[in-house]
Amino acid sequence: EVQLLESGGGLVQPGGSLRLSCAASGFTFSNYAMSWVRQTPGKGLQWVASISDSGVSSYYPDSVKGRFTISRDNSKNTLYLRMNSLRVDDTAIYYCAKRPGGAVAGAFDSWGQGTLVTVSS
Amino acid sequence: ETVLTQSPGTLSLSPGERATLSCRASQSVSGSYLAWYQHKPGQAPRLLIFGASSRATGIPDRFSGSGSGTDFTLTITRLEPEDFAVYYCQQYGNSPLTFGGGTKVEIK
């Protein structure tokens, strides 16, 4: 059974940084592309970042490009999201999600339960 | 970006009834790469439908998806108690990936 367990959320001040982790189990992590998706009260679900199976390719929407960095450690079966220059509107529940193949394509076929990030002074 | 508009915002139905949820895209979704997810509070979202009409692994056949281009539909025949949740559509054919605002299916 696929399991994705996010951690690292918490309260951070505007302009601060945070690193989220997602521990994966139940599948061969290194064979699958992964993503981060967030849920905000105002804007619903929003795609945040994606990374290919090898970690060579990564993609971001304009709203986080240059501030967020997705990475992975296939030896530890762990996905990361480094978030810098955080803003109040980055406040959200952050989910990690698995793609159906190694390329960054396809729907999100498994999700974690999320970790809450609150950006506030 | 491709804006997805879901309607209605809330659907009040009784168990056993049929639910029809709509998702309309601001531009044609490439390859009919449209997915539907079910989300319950405090739980991980669950993939129901991908490619507009293909059921994900383990999804009961009372869930079906249809549509192409800009208009897509999720149909739940005979609502079960566990089906009351929020449903989101998502397109992954155009960049950036986008989600609809959700339809809440609540017990009447």
Side-chain angles (χ1 to χ4, degrees):
Chain A
E1 180 192 3
V2 171
Q3 292 200 338
L4 299 169
L5 184 61
E6 302 93 338
S7 61
L11 175 64
V12 60
Q13 292 188 334
S17 298
L18 208 58
R19 190 181 80 159
L20 306 183
S21 300
C22 172
S25 61
F27 65 103
T28 305
F29 181 70
S30 59
N31 286 352
Y32 294 92
M34 299 292 294
S35 298
W36 288 95
V37 177
R38 66 186 180 186
Q39 182 177 30
T40 64
K43 294 188 176 182
L45 290 169
Q46 182 185 25
W47 166 64
V48 172
S50 292
I51 190 167
S52 61
D53 54 354
S54 65
V56 168
S57 301
S58 58
Y59 305 88
Y60 308 89
D62 289 344
S63 57
V64 307
K65 196 176 293 183
R67 300 189 300 124
F68 289 13
T69 302
I70 188 171
S71 62
R72 64 193 296 160
D73 186 337
N74 286 345
S75 68
K76 295 183 178 179
N77 291 343
T78 303
L79 177 73
Y80 302 101
L81 183 68
R82 176 69 179 183
M83 304 184 293
N84 296 330
S85 304
L86 281 162
R87 309 191 293 226
V88 171
D89 63 359
D90 292 318
T91 295
I93 299 172
Y94 284 75
Y95 299 95
C96 71
K98 174 184 165 292
R99 308 301 282 269
V104 176
F108 302 118
D109 60 10
S110 295
W111 299 60
Q113 295 199 331
T115 186
L116 176 62
V117 172
T118 303
V119 184
S120 174
S121 54
Chain B
E1 71 176 41
T2 302
V3 177
L4 299 179
T5 303
Q6 291 189 241
S7 62
T10 302
L11 202 49
S12 298
L13 295 168
S14 300
E17 289 194 295
R18 180 187 187 94
T20 302
L21 288 65
S22 173
C23 176
R24 179 161 291 177
S26 61
Q27 59 187 287
S28 183
V29 176
S30 175
S32 292
Y33 291 141
L34 192 288
W36 291 92
Y37 301 90
Q38 179 191 69
H39 194 197
K40 298 178 182 178
Q43 295 187 19
R46 179 170 72 146
L47 175 66
L48 301 174
I49 301 288
F50 62 95
S53 60
S54 297
R55 268 189 302 275
T57 302
I59 301 303
D61 60 8
R62 65 179 181 272
F63 291 92
S64 64
S66 62
S68 64
T70 60
D71 289 297
F72 299 89
T73 300
L74 175 69
T75 301
I76 313 171
T77 58
R78 300 181 312 278
L79 280 163
E80 297 287 341
E82 62 268 27
D83 298 337
F84 292 91
V86 180
Y87 293 83
Y88 294 96
C89 59
Q90 178 229 344
Q91 66 82 22
Y92 51 98
N94 306 334
S95 182
L97 310 179
T98 51
F99 290 85
T103 291
K104 181 179 182 180
V105 179
E106 65 176 24
I107 299 176
K108 185 174 181 181

